Amino acid sequence: MKKLFTSLALVAVALSAAAQDELYVEIAPVEGINAGSSVTLSIKTIQGQEPFTYDWRNAAGEQIGTDESLSLTLDQPATIQLNVTDASEATVTTYADINVYGSSADATFDDLGLAENSYWNGRADNVAAQTATFYSGGFAFDNSYMPDWMYYSGFAASTLNTNDFVDYTEGQFKSVTAAGHESAGFGVLYANLWTGQFYITTLKSMEGSTVGGVYLCNDAYTYNSITKGDGYCQPFADGDYHRVVFRGDDPEGQEVVFYLADFRDGKQEIITDWTYCDLSPLGCVKKIEVTTESSNDGVPSYACLDNLSYTPASNIDINVDNSNAPVEYFNLQGQRVANPAAGQIYIRRQGSTASKIRF
């Protein structure tokens, strides 16, 4: 028996040694800086077989350093990539996201370098599966991606230009409008009670800023489930809802709730176009937690967003007179119907208002 215990102990020591030899690198977190200031990136944790070589690169893929640490002066937010190779010639990649304050530009999601008709939902080479940040305009967006599972939560970005739904693989990255608000790019949120907390960070000032508003609409996956149902939820009926909730960190502010679908109190409203949401009630915020809430857990927890701005939209943008707008009808697959048939269910849209009706 003593020999058995000795053997087990030796196995444990061997496994421990093997784990220590496995290459792992983590960059020390950095505080945000004001535009024009300097920051130094250094290693927080490293394990593997010495010696190590370091390869620091900017967002364009250009090498900007080969030392163990890296000092930079930045005028705008930056994502820095670090590739580390050890004596066994194993290589791992990790990233540092650096918040740089001083921009009041809108988040249009057209400044991310995404190819036409594509999407981004995380860094496939981030083997540590660390929570990441991506930047659009003067805002930072949280993203979590697990490469082994090809699973993301938080925020993603898309330029997909169709709104058909085949399955959730691409359907989750399509807006019901088949485009962003007045441009190709838009953001996609996947977040609920179970995915964890995800934030938008305002980068106009370190002290926080008032946000004007954002345009919102449904994504194709959620729209399909709301109108047709799927294996997880039934088509929406009286009392159902799907909404986006914004919560700021200003104790004097109020949360903002926006309904993407609202079947409460006799309503049958589904947002099928980009619609403005005023976020100024949040107050002066450094971070905004964003999540979705639904009448049942089976509703896909997505929302599309675009043109997040520090400047409020004009009254013309907000107060749309729908009474004179043309009426359009769509089938439950989102296709426009010129001549609706009696007895069939359609989505009726007039201006920025949409409802589900039987013709």
Side-chain angles (χ1 to χ4, degrees), residues 115-325:
E116 181 182 356
N117 200 30
S118 64
Y119 64 88
W120 180 92
N121 65 333
R123 300 168 184 156
D125 57 354
N126 187 6
V127 295
Q130 297 165 332
T131 298
T133 299
F134 71 90
Y135 302 95
S136 181
F139 298 89
F141 299 86
D142 285 356
N143 168 274
S144 178
Y145 185 69
M146 303 177 68
D148 290 345
W149 292 2
M150 298 177 64
Y151 167 87
Y152 99 99
S153 51
F155 294 93
S158 176
T159 59
L160 293 180
N161 54 21
T162 60
N163 62 2
D164 58 311
F165 178 78
V166 179
D167 57 40
Y168 79 95
T169 305
E170 284 197 351
Q172 63 185 314
F173 303 110
K174 296 180 178 180
S175 77
V176 291
T177 69
H181 177 253
E182 300 180 343
S183 66
F186 58 94
V188 181
L189 169 71
Y190 174 61
N192 58 27
L193 179 64
W194 315 111
T195 58
Q197 294 175 299
F198 296 96
Y199 296 89
I200 299 171
T201 301
T202 61
L203 300 178
K204 185 176 180 181
S205 169
M206 283 189 177
E207 287 68 43
S209 304
T210 300
V211 177
V214 64
Y215 284 85
L216 300 167
C217 74
N218 278 296
D219 86 332
Y221 182 21
T222 305
Y223 179 82
N224 182 80
S225 298
I226 287 172
T227 56
K228 298 174 64 178
D230 56 30
Y232 301 98
C233 72
Q234 296 297 313
F236 268 26
D238 184 48
D240 283 328
Y241 63 87
H242 178 60
R243 64 193 184 189
V244 188
V245 181
F246 299 86
R247 299 181 179 94
D249 54 6
D250 183 349
E252 302 299 321
Q254 303 173 15
E255 74 175 22
V256 173
V257 178
F258 182 92
Y259 283 84
L260 290 166
D262 191 359
F263 281 48
R264 302 170 305 150
D265 304 322
K267 296 190 290 289
Q268 291 189 336
E269 299 174 354
I270 305 175
I271 299 298
T272 58
D273 203 355
W274 290 103
T275 305
Y276 187 75
C277 175
D278 179 18
L279 295 179
S280 60
L282 295 173
C284 184
V285 293
K286 298 178 181 179
K287 285 181 175 290
I288 305 170
E289 181 190 358
V290 194
T291 191
T292 64
E293 298 176 352
S294 305
S295 51
N296 69 68
D297 294 339
V299 179
S301 303
Y302 296 87
C304 296
L305 66 156
D306 204 358
N307 289 97
L308 175 63
S309 173
Y310 292 104
T311 305
S314 67
N315 288 335
I316 294 175
D317 290 325
I318 301 172
N319 300 318
V320 178
D321 182 3
N322 293 315
S323 60
N324 295 320

Side-chain angles (χ1 to χ4, degrees), residues 79-150:
T79 296
I80 304 300
Q81 175 182 328
L82 171 62
N83 306 303
V84 177
T85 303
D86 71 359
S88 72
E89 298 187 356
T91 299
V92 295
T93 299
T94 190
Y95 295 84
D97 299 307
I98 307 169
N99 291 345
V100 178
Y101 293 84
S103 171
S104 59
D106 294 358
T108 65
F109 302 94
D110 294 306
D111 52 357
L112 304 177
L114 275 181
E116 181 182 356
N117 200 30
S118 64
Y119 64 88
W120 180 92
N121 65 333
R123 300 168 184 156
D125 57 354
N126 187 6
V127 295
Q130 297 165 332
T131 298
T133 299
F134 71 90
Y135 302 95
S136 181
F139 298 89
F141 299 86
D142 285 356
N143 168 274
S144 178
Y145 185 69
M146 303 177 68
D148 290 345
W149 292 2
M150 298 177 64

